[in-house]
Amino acid sequence: MEKLVITVAVTGSLPTRTKTPYVPITPEEIVAAGVRCEQAGAAVIHVHARNPKDESPSTEFRLFEEICQGLRERTRLIVQISTGGRAGMAYEQRSDRLALRPEMASLTTGSVNFPDTVYANSPELIERLARDMKAYGIKPEMEIFDVSMVRNAVELAERGLADPPLHFDFVLGLKGAIPATIENLVHLKNALPPGSTWTAAGIGAAQLPMNVHALLTGGHVRVGLEDNIYFRKGELAPNERFVERMVRLAAEFGRGVATPDEARRILSLKPPA
Ligand code: ZN
């Protein structure tokens, strides 16, 4: 089994300071969280930006730029920028940040109902984002909320819009999307083309069981406050504690944890410039 690649999704679009004091909001806080998570054992950081004034999700290029620069200066982490639509659904609002040429970016290959809205990803939008990523040499992480999205991602590769081996992130347990069961995770994993890599993310209390199943079956894991703010029932914790727990569990099961550079090889990334 390959070493475990730990992705940390430190901020996301939803958790606010009133929900948890630990969520990093400003670029400086996000970079500092990245530094601590790298020390704890993370290899990839999944990045959203927030408006520092009111904590709302932001599409502002300058914020993404500040975060990317800080992470590049102070860590070896693989930076994965979200192209998610909570801050703004339009192509223009989701694509300009790709000009920062992060090593990875998320790409959701289908639409799904979020609890409060339709998360709309039209075939045209997906294709345009995929073309941009390919042009910039950015590896997409296919964000999979349902099994049809796996097929859509494979079709992008068949059409030459994404280069195999593909990398997938299964997001299970979000209300409106695929429920977080072991059977569903196995089904998603079995739908992948040979040679693919995959990460499991679970929402809320599903985070730990989905992570552990991935740990045991050769997948990789995503932790962090974007998906889950509770370390255990009623107990909030900072991002790095979630990373530390996965490192401990991996050690218990005899699986090594990948450094950022080992993760670059495992995920078939082009060496950074
Ligand atoms: Zn995200």
PDB file of all heavy atoms in Angstrom, residues 9 11-13 46-48 80-84 106 143 145 169 222 226-227, ligand 1:
ATOM      1  N   ALA A   9      -8.565  20.332   4.698  1.00  0.00           N
ATOM      2  CA  ALA A   9      -9.443  21.378   4.172  1.00  0.00           C
ATOM      3  C   ALA A   9      -9.729  22.312   5.337  1.00  0.00           C
ATOM      4  O   ALA A   9     -10.641  22.081   6.132  1.00  0.00           O
ATOM      5  CB  ALA A   9     -10.720  20.763   3.611  1.00  0.00           C
ATOM      6  N   THR A  11     -10.623  25.536   5.895  1.00  0.00           N
ATOM      7  CA  THR A  11     -11.576  26.650   6.056  1.00  0.00           C
ATOM      8  C   THR A  11     -12.950  26.377   5.448  1.00  0.00           C
ATOM      9  O   THR A  11     -13.966  26.563   6.123  1.00  0.00           O
ATOM     10  CB  THR A  11     -10.989  27.932   5.427  1.00  0.00           C
ATOM     11  OG1 THR A  11      -9.757  28.246   6.061  1.00  0.00           O
ATOM     12  CG2 THR A  11     -11.942  29.110   5.568  1.00  0.00           C
ATOM     13  N   GLY A  12     -12.984  25.987   4.171  1.00  0.00           N
ATOM     14  CA  GLY A  12     -14.257  25.792   3.495  1.00  0.00           C
ATOM     15  C   GLY A  12     -15.039  27.092   3.360  1.00  0.00           C
ATOM     16  O   GLY A  12     -14.496  28.192   3.498  1.00  0.00           O
ATOM     17  N   SER A  13     -16.344  26.941   3.112  1.00  0.00           N
ATOM     18  CA  SER A  13     -17.197  28.118   2.898  1.00  0.00           C
ATOM     19  C   SER A  13     -18.120  28.394   4.072  1.00  0.00           C
ATOM     20  O   SER A  13     -18.662  29.483   4.184  1.00  0.00           O
ATOM     21  CB  SER A  13     -18.071  27.907   1.651  1.00  0.00           C
ATOM     22  OG  SER A  13     -17.264  27.713   0.526  1.00  0.00           O
ATOM     23  N   HIS A  46      -6.286  22.159   1.041  1.00  0.00           N
ATOM     24  CA  HIS A  46      -7.409  22.542   0.178  1.00  0.00           C
ATOM     25  C   HIS A  46      -7.867  23.931   0.622  1.00  0.00           C
ATOM     26  O   HIS A  46      -8.201  24.128   1.788  1.00  0.00           O
ATOM     27  CB  HIS A  46      -8.508  21.489   0.320  1.00  0.00           C
ATOM     28  CG  HIS A  46      -9.776  21.807  -0.388  1.00  0.00           C
ATOM     29  ND1 HIS A  46      -9.961  21.577  -1.734  1.00  0.00           N
ATOM     30  CD2 HIS A  46     -10.940  22.344   0.050  1.00  0.00           C
ATOM     31  CE1 HIS A  46     -11.187  21.946  -2.088  1.00  0.00           C
ATOM     32  NE2 HIS A  46     -11.806  22.412  -1.025  1.00  0.00           N
ATOM     33  N   VAL A  47      -7.848  24.883  -0.319  1.00  0.00           N
ATOM     34  CA  VAL A  47      -7.946  26.297   0.038  1.00  0.00           C
ATOM     35  C   VAL A  47      -9.233  26.951  -0.468  1.00  0.00           C
ATOM     36  O   VAL A  47      -9.551  26.889  -1.656  1.00  0.00           O
ATOM     37  CB  VAL A  47      -6.728  27.064  -0.539  1.00  0.00           C
ATOM     38  CG1 VAL A  47      -6.911  28.566  -0.375  1.00  0.00           C
ATOM     39  CG2 VAL A  47      -5.442  26.609   0.112  1.00  0.00           C
ATOM     40  N   HIS A  48      -9.938  27.575   0.441  1.00  0.00           N
ATOM     41  CA  HIS A  48     -11.001  28.539   0.128  1.00  0.00           C
ATOM     42  C   HIS A  48     -10.568  29.878   0.700  1.00  0.00           C
ATOM     43  O   HIS A  48      -9.793  29.924   1.641  1.00  0.00           O
ATOM     44  CB  HIS A  48     -12.324  28.156   0.798  1.00  0.00           C
ATOM     45  CG  HIS A  48     -12.986  26.960   0.218  1.00  0.00           C
ATOM     46  ND1 HIS A  48     -14.116  27.031  -0.547  1.00  0.00           N
ATOM     47  CD2 HIS A  48     -12.665  25.643   0.285  1.00  0.00           C
ATOM     48  CE1 HIS A  48     -14.483  25.814  -0.922  1.00  0.00           C
ATOM     49  NE2 HIS A  48     -13.622  24.948  -0.425  1.00  0.00           N
ATOM     50  N   GLN A  80      -3.938  23.145  -3.129  1.00  0.00           N
ATOM     51  CA  GLN A  80      -5.085  22.767  -3.959  1.00  0.00           C
ATOM     52  C   GLN A  80      -6.167  23.835  -3.763  1.00  0.00           C
ATOM     53  O   GLN A  80      -6.765  23.933  -2.697  1.00  0.00           O
ATOM     54  CB  GLN A  80      -5.599  21.398  -3.520  1.00  0.00           C
ATOM     55  CG  GLN A  80      -6.814  20.923  -4.305  1.00  0.00           C
ATOM     56  CD  GLN A  80      -7.427  19.701  -3.652  1.00  0.00           C
ATOM     57  OE1 GLN A  80      -8.341  19.805  -2.837  1.00  0.00           O
ATOM     58  NE2 GLN A  80      -6.906  18.527  -3.976  1.00  0.00           N
ATOM     59  N   ILE A  81      -6.382  24.603  -4.811  1.00  0.00           N
ATOM     60  CA  ILE A  81      -7.376  25.681  -4.724  1.00  0.00           C
ATOM     61  C   ILE A  81      -8.742  25.119  -5.067  1.00  0.00           C
ATOM     62  O   ILE A  81      -8.893  24.345  -6.006  1.00  0.00           O
ATOM     63  CB  ILE A  81      -6.979  26.836  -5.678  1.00  0.00           C
ATOM     64  CG1 ILE A  81      -5.840  27.641  -5.057  1.00  0.00           C
ATOM     65  CG2 ILE A  81      -8.171  27.733  -5.985  1.00  0.00           C
ATOM     66  CD1 ILE A  81      -5.498  28.881  -5.834  1.00  0.00           C
ATOM     67  N   SER A  82      -9.740  25.535  -4.317  1.00  0.00           N
ATOM     68  CA  SER A  82     -11.113  25.139  -4.630  1.00  0.00           C
ATOM     69  C   SER A  82     -11.635  25.982  -5.788  1.00  0.00           C
ATOM     70  O   SER A  82     -11.416  27.185  -5.840  1.00  0.00           O
ATOM     71  CB  SER A  82     -12.009  25.360  -3.413  1.00  0.00           C
ATOM     72  OG  SER A  82     -13.368  25.229  -3.806  1.00  0.00           O
ATOM     73  N   THR A  83     -12.329  25.325  -6.706  1.00  0.00           N
ATOM     74  CA  THR A  83     -13.096  26.082  -7.703  1.00  0.00           C
ATOM     75  C   THR A  83     -14.591  25.933  -7.398  1.00  0.00           C
ATOM     76  O   THR A  83     -15.434  26.109  -8.268  1.00  0.00           O
ATOM     77  CB  THR A  83     -12.822  25.614  -9.148  1.00  0.00           C
ATOM     78  OG1 THR A  83     -13.236  24.251  -9.286  1.00  0.00           O
ATOM     79  CG2 THR A  83     -11.370  25.757  -9.521  1.00  0.00           C
ATOM     80  N   GLY A  84     -14.884  25.614  -6.151  1.00  0.00           N
ATOM     81  CA  GLY A  84     -16.269  25.418  -5.724  1.00  0.00           C
ATOM     82  C   GLY A  84     -17.083  26.700  -5.859  1.00  0.00           C
ATOM     83  O   GLY A  84     -16.528  27.798  -5.938  1.00  0.00           O
ATOM     84  N   SER A 106      -9.670  21.800  -7.236  1.00  0.00           N
ATOM     85  CA  SER A 106     -10.817  20.898  -7.200  1.00  0.00           C
ATOM     86  C   SER A 106     -11.699  21.138  -8.422  1.00  0.00           C
ATOM     87  O   SER A 106     -11.788  22.254  -8.926  1.00  0.00           O
ATOM     88  CB  SER A 106     -11.614  21.123  -5.918  1.00  0.00           C
ATOM     89  OG  SER A 106     -12.125  22.436  -5.883  1.00  0.00           O
ATOM     90  N   GLU A 143     -14.014  16.242  -7.582  1.00  0.00           N
ATOM     91  CA  GLU A 143     -14.828  16.236  -6.351  1.00  0.00           C
ATOM     92  C   GLU A 143     -16.122  15.501  -6.651  1.00  0.00           C
ATOM     93  O   GLU A 143     -16.941  15.973  -7.440  1.00  0.00           O
ATOM     94  CB  GLU A 143     -15.144  17.660  -5.910  1.00  0.00           C
ATOM     95  CG  GLU A 143     -13.937  18.508  -5.568  1.00  0.00           C
ATOM     96  CD  GLU A 143     -13.131  17.987  -4.402  1.00  0.00           C
ATOM     97  OE1 GLU A 143     -13.733  17.417  -3.472  1.00  0.00           O
ATOM     98  OE2 GLU A 143     -11.908  18.140  -4.425  1.00  0.00           O
ATOM     99  N   PHE A 145     -19.606  13.902  -5.573  1.00  0.00           N
ATOM    100  CA  PHE A 145     -20.714  13.912  -4.602  1.00  0.00           C
ATOM    101  C   PHE A 145     -21.723  12.811  -4.899  1.00  0.00           C
ATOM    102  O   PHE A 145     -22.670  12.597  -4.127  1.00  0.00           O
ATOM    103  CB  PHE A 145     -21.435  15.256  -4.611  1.00  0.00           C
ATOM    104  CG  PHE A 145     -20.604  16.400  -4.085  1.00  0.00           C
ATOM    105  CD1 PHE A 145     -19.675  17.035  -4.906  1.00  0.00           C
ATOM    106  CD2 PHE A 145     -20.732  16.838  -2.782  1.00  0.00           C
ATOM    107  CE1 PHE A 145     -18.904  18.090  -4.430  1.00  0.00           C
ATOM    108  CE2 PHE A 145     -19.972  17.893  -2.297  1.00  0.00           C
ATOM    109  CZ  PHE A 145     -19.059  18.509  -3.116  1.00  0.00           C
ATOM    110  N   ASP A 169     -11.746  12.817  -5.140  1.00  0.00           N
ATOM    111  CA  ASP A 169     -12.083  12.989  -3.731  1.00  0.00           C
ATOM    112  C   ASP A 169     -13.569  12.686  -3.577  1.00  0.00           C
ATOM    113  O   ASP A 169     -14.408  13.355  -4.175  1.00  0.00           O
ATOM    114  CB  ASP A 169     -11.797  14.432  -3.285  1.00  0.00           C
ATOM    115  CG  ASP A 169     -12.172  14.657  -1.824  1.00  0.00           C
ATOM    116  OD1 ASP A 169     -11.862  13.783  -0.996  1.00  0.00           O
ATOM    117  OD2 ASP A 169     -12.774  15.700  -1.513  1.00  0.00           O
ATOM    118  N   ARG A 222      -9.112  13.032   3.633  1.00  0.00           N
ATOM    119  CA  ARG A 222      -9.242  14.482   3.803  1.00  0.00           C
ATOM    120  C   ARG A 222      -9.863  14.738   5.160  1.00  0.00           C
ATOM    121  O   ARG A 222     -10.915  14.173   5.487  1.00  0.00           O
ATOM    122  CB  ARG A 222     -10.096  15.079   2.704  1.00  0.00           C
ATOM    123  CG  ARG A 222     -10.340  16.574   2.889  1.00  0.00           C
ATOM    124  CD  ARG A 222     -10.914  17.213   1.655  1.00  0.00           C
ATOM    125  NE  ARG A 222     -12.206  17.803   1.901  1.00  0.00           N
ATOM    126  CZ  ARG A 222     -12.842  18.600   1.031  1.00  0.00           C
ATOM    127  NH1 ARG A 222     -12.291  18.865  -0.140  1.00  0.00           N
ATOM    128  NH2 ARG A 222     -14.009  19.090   1.320  1.00  0.00           N
ATOM    129  N   GLU A 226     -13.496  22.295   7.156  1.00  0.00           N
ATOM    130  CA  GLU A 226     -14.477  22.478   6.077  1.00  0.00           C
ATOM    131  C   GLU A 226     -15.558  21.404   6.163  1.00  0.00           C
ATOM    132  O   GLU A 226     -16.732  21.678   5.931  1.00  0.00           O
ATOM    133  CB  GLU A 226     -13.789  22.395   4.704  1.00  0.00           C
ATOM    134  CG  GLU A 226     -14.794  22.338   3.551  1.00  0.00           C
ATOM    135  CD  GLU A 226     -14.199  22.601   2.177  1.00  0.00           C
ATOM    136  OE1 GLU A 226     -13.022  22.979   2.089  1.00  0.00           O
ATOM    137  OE2 GLU A 226     -14.921  22.435   1.180  1.00  0.00           O
ATOM    138  N   ASP A 227     -15.140  20.175   6.494  1.00  0.00           N
ATOM    139  CA  ASP A 227     -16.070  19.048   6.485  1.00  0.00           C
ATOM    140  C   ASP A 227     -16.642  18.746   7.860  1.00  0.00           C
ATOM    141  O   ASP A 227     -17.747  18.207   7.974  1.00  0.00           O
ATOM    142  CB  ASP A 227     -15.366  17.790   5.965  1.00  0.00           C
ATOM    143  CG  ASP A 227     -14.814  17.971   4.561  1.00  0.00           C
ATOM    144  OD1 ASP A 227     -15.379  18.791   3.806  1.00  0.00           O
ATOM    145  OD2 ASP A 227     -13.818  17.314   4.220  1.00  0.00           O
TER     146      ASP A 227
HETATM  147 ZN    ZN B   1     -13.820  22.920  -0.559  1.00  0.00          ZN
END
